[in-house]
């Protein structure tokens, strides 16, 4: 899911951090790609309207879905042909705090299954397409298929200790890759220096295809926040790790963070306002410490820690592993052919042609080539600069006015 409303908020408040650039501008770049997000996009890309959606999926002789294999195979070859060096990062264990979000997703899946059944009975093609896409997911088999495929193709595969976005962001910060490739905005919350979106959409095969580049440093500068404040903003907007305060939209969340600086200082301001609903686990009841043993206190620590604090800790101290070696190797052509033709049921001639392209791409990428930074069209934005300057001036004026009012009140109280 990522962070609700963050992309739109950045577009409005920090437009300089976002650029639309050509796909070929990634030539020579190493990019850590969120594998699960890519697989999901490949699964839904082949679905189209029709009374029998399952028949529209690519399958092998055993009836097993293979569209994720085809999508990953073809797209990865295109990445390499363009000079991009992909690293696919797979999710590890889910954080305990994500269990609530996962349960919500399971409930949505159950509802989608019911709606899909109803749509099929009514032969409503639009509803069939909509609910089929909602049911598409990258499960264990799809992930294992793609890991095996990528290794046979000679492309690095990384298994994250926990969340793929956090691992990719850590690799980026460590200088192992240039950017994180995912649609999930929480990669920015994990402070990836560069976030690339729209990288694995189906329309990327078109000439001059555009992708979206987001710069983390420019994002927080444009918002006028520190990293700690940005993380708190993301929690207020809504993340996977805890519920957020109902009634607070993106603009209000940003305003509150700018005025108060942290969730701790915001809570006293909003907790008694009727239009806002603060989650119960954000302000847990505290037991009398004198009535509990040290063991009980330690065991209850997580239960009595506000949920937003635990979420914040996950963003700041997520389990990652940057002690990895990234190597792009020669494809194992024979084993790759067996996998794609014998197991996945792909056309032998097409597979042969694609493997030849794959070999050429690997060979080309071994030769040092110059970066094509000229493809990035950097255009100044005077309007955004003026807007940011005006906002900062208004904030300073408000602070001065508040300070003057406080001094005035203090003077009256002394009299």
């Amino acid at each position: 899911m990522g962070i609700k409303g963050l992309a739109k908020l950045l577009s409005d408040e920090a437009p300089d951090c976002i650029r639309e650039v050509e796909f070929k501008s990634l030539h020579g770049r190493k990019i850590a790609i969120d594998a699960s997000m890519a697989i999901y996009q490949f699964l839904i890309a082949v679905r189209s309207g029709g009374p029998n959606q399952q028949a529209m999926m690519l399958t092998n002789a055993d009836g097993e879905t293979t569209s994720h294999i085809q999508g990953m195979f073809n797209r990865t070859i295109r990445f390499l042909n363009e000079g991009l060096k992909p690293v696919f990062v797979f999710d590890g264990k889910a954080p305990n705090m994500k269990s609530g979000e996962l349960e919500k997703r399971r409930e949505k899946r159950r509802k989608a299954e019911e709606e899909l059944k109803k749509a099929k009975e009514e032969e409503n093609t639009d509803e069939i397409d909509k609910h089929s896409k909602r049911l598409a997911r990258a499960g264990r088999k799809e992930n294992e298929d793609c890991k095996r495929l990528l290794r046979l193709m000679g492309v690095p595969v990384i298994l994250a200790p926990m969340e793929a976005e956090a691992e990719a962001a850590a690799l980026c910060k460590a200088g192992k890759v240039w950017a994180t490739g995912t649609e999930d905005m929480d990669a920015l919350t994990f402070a990836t220096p560069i976030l690339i979106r729209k990288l694995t959409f189906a329309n990327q095969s078109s000439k001059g295809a555009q992708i979206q580049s987001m710069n983390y440093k420019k994002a927080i500068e444009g918002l006028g926040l520190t990293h700690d404040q940005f993380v708190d903003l993301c929690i207020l907007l809504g993340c996977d790790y805890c519920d957020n305060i109902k009634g607070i939209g993106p603009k209000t969340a940003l305003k509150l963070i700018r005025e108060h600086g942290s969730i701790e200082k915001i809570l006293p301001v909003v907790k008694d306002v009727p239009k806002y609903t603060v989650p119960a686990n954000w302000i847990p009841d505290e037991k009398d410490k004198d009535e509990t043993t040290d063991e009980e206190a330690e065991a209850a620590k997580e239960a009595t820690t506000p949920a937003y604090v635990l979420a914040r800790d996950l963003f700041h101290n997520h389990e990652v592993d940057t002690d990895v070696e990234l190597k792009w190797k020669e494809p194992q052509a024979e084993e790759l052919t067996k996998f794609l033709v014998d197991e996945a049921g792909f056309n032998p001639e097409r597979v042969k042609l694609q493997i030849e392209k794959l070999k050429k791409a690997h060979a080309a990428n071994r030769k040092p080539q110059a970066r094509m930074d000229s493809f990035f069209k950097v255009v100044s934005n005077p309007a955004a600069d003026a807007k940011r300057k005006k906002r900062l001036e208004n904030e300073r004026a408000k602070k001065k006015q508040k300070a003057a009012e406080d001094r005035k009140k203090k003077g009256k109280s002394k009299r």
Side-chain angles (χ1 to χ4, degrees):
M1 179 186 72
I3 307 298
K4 296 177 183 176
L6 180 57
K8 177 66 166 56
L9 187 66
L10 289 175
S11 178
D12 292 341
E13 300 290 333
D16 286 353
C17 80
I18 304 172
R19 289 186 296 173
E20 297 292 329
V21 297
E22 291 187 29
F23 183 84
K24 59 185 178 180
S25 66
L26 299 179
H27 174 86
R29 299 294 196 190
K30 298 176 184 178
I31 298 182
I33 299 173
D34 179 353
S36 294
M37 178 63 70
I39 295 170
Y40 170 75
Q41 290 169 344
F42 298 141
L43 286 171
I44 67 172
V46 297
R47 294 177 182 268
S48 59
N52 188 351
Q53 282 296 306
Q54 188 61 33
M56 303 302 293
M57 298 295 293
L58 294 173
T59 58
N60 61 13
D62 296 324
E64 297 172 325
T65 300
T66 57
S67 53
H68 57 293
I69 299 174
Q70 185 194 58
M72 186 68 77
F73 181 56
N74 293 337
R75 191 57 48 79
T76 303
I77 291 174
R78 180 169 187 250
F79 286 163
L80 292 167
N81 274 328
E82 291 286 354
L84 186 156
K85 305 187 80 171
V87 178
F88 285 90
V89 185
F90 289 78
D91 286 315
K93 61 184 178 183
N96 292 333
M97 286 195 69
K98 201 171 183 177
S99 59
E101 175 62 25
L102 294 176
E103 180 53 40
K104 289 179 185 176
R105 293 179 188 177
R106 284 191 286 269
E107 181 58 31
K108 287 180 181 178
R109 187 174 180 80
R110 285 192 288 269
K111 289 181 180 179
E113 288 172 346
E114 293 173 2
E115 293 296 328
L116 177 60
K117 182 179 178 182
K118 180 181 176 182
K120 284 183 176 180
E121 291 172 354
E122 298 174 352
E123 297 188 359
N124 187 327
T125 55
D126 290 338
E127 288 296 302
I128 289 173
D129 185 48
K130 181 174 73 174
H131 295 299
S132 294
K133 287 180 178 180
R134 287 178 178 175
L135 288 170
R137 62 185 293 268
R140 179 176 295 177
K141 182 184 183 303
E142 288 78 14
N143 277 277
E144 292 305 317
D145 284 343
C146 288
K147 288 177 190 175
R148 181 182 173 192
L149 171 71
L150 292 165
R151 286 169 178 146
L152 290 174
M153 293 178 73
V155 174
V157 170
I158 302 295
L159 179 60
M162 295 180 77
E163 302 272 52
E165 305 97 297
E167 175 69 9
L171 292 173
C172 194
K173 286 186 285 186
K176 296 291 180 77
V177 297
W178 178 72
T180 296
T182 182
E183 299 308 303
D184 281 348
M185 292 296 293
D186 55 1
L188 283 179
T189 323
F190 288 116
T192 183
I194 300 292
L195 169 62
I196 298 294
R197 304 180 80 204
K198 305 180 184 179
L199 186 61
T200 53
F201 281 130
N203 64 2
Q204 290 307 311
S205 60
S206 61
K207 186 177 179 180
Q210 297 287 300
I211 57 171
Q212 191 176 76
S213 172
M214 291 188 169
N215 184 296
Y216 163 77
K217 184 179 179 181
K218 290 184 178 180
I220 62 169
E221 286 177 352
L223 294 175
L225 304 178
T226 65
H227 176 64
D228 289 351
Q229 291 170 339
F230 179 65
V231 170
D232 275 15
L233 170 66
C234 292
I235 294 170
L236 284 174
L237 293 176
C239 66
D240 289 349
Y241 305 135
C242 65
D243 292 328
N244 58 329
I245 300 174
K246 304 304 178 189
I248 293 181
K251 297 287 187 180
T252 301
L254 179 59
K255 180 175 179 289
L256 289 169
I257 285 291
R258 283 174 175 168
E259 289 181 358
H260 304 286
S262 70
I263 293 176
E264 281 83 354
K265 292 180 180 178
I266 290 171
L267 285 175
V269 177
V270 303
K271 68 177 183 179
D272 295 323
V273 178
K275 64 178 179 179
Y276 302 138
T277 304
V278 179
N281 61 1
W282 280 40
I283 312 175
D285 294 330
E286 293 188 4
K287 293 183 179 181
D288 189 338
K289 293 180 181 180
D290 293 336
E291 296 178 2
T292 59
T293 65
D294 291 341
E295 291 78 8
E296 289 173 334
E298 184 64 29
K301 182 178 180 180
E302 184 170 323
T304 58
T305 301
Y308 71 85
V309 174
L310 296 174
R312 179 193 288 157
D313 185 62
L314 271 173
F315 283 122
H316 284 299
N317 304 299
H318 208 91
E319 186 179 351
V320 295
D321 179 15
T322 57
D323 186 20
V324 296
E325 187 176 8
L326 305 179
K327 285 187 176 181
W328 288 262
K329 305 175 182 178
E330 279 293 315
Q332 301 174 47
E334 186 177 344
E335 290 300 314
L336 182 57
T337 301
K338 288 181 181 178
F339 174 52
L340 294 173
V341 175
D342 298 344
E343 297 183 39
F346 291 178
N347 181 287
E349 289 303 314
R350 290 182 181 177
V351 168
K352 183 179 179 181
L353 288 173
Q354 287 294 79
I355 290 179
E356 287 303 314
K357 288 182 182 179
L358 178 62
K359 289 179 178 178
K360 289 179 181 178
H362 272 293
N365 285 340
R366 283 198 298 272
K367 300 175 183 178
Q369 299 182 24
R371 277 273 312 125
M372 297 183 186
D373 289 322
S374 58
F375 288 114
F376 285 96
K377 299 176 182 178
V378 182
V379 181
S380 61
N381 192 334
D385 292 339
K387 183 179 179 181
R388 183 161 52 250
K389 183 179 178 181
K390 185 177 179 181
R391 190 193 72 233
L392 293 173
E393 288 175 350
N394 288 338
E395 288 177 359
R396 283 194 290 268
K398 286 180 181 179
K399 286 181 180 179
K400 288 181 180 179
Q401 184 179 355
K402 188 175 184 302
E405 290 174 353
D406 289 343
R407 286 195 298 270
K408 189 175 180 181
K409 289 179 182 178
K410 189 176 181 181
K412 285 183 178 180
S413 63
K414 285 183 178 180
R415 290 195 296 270

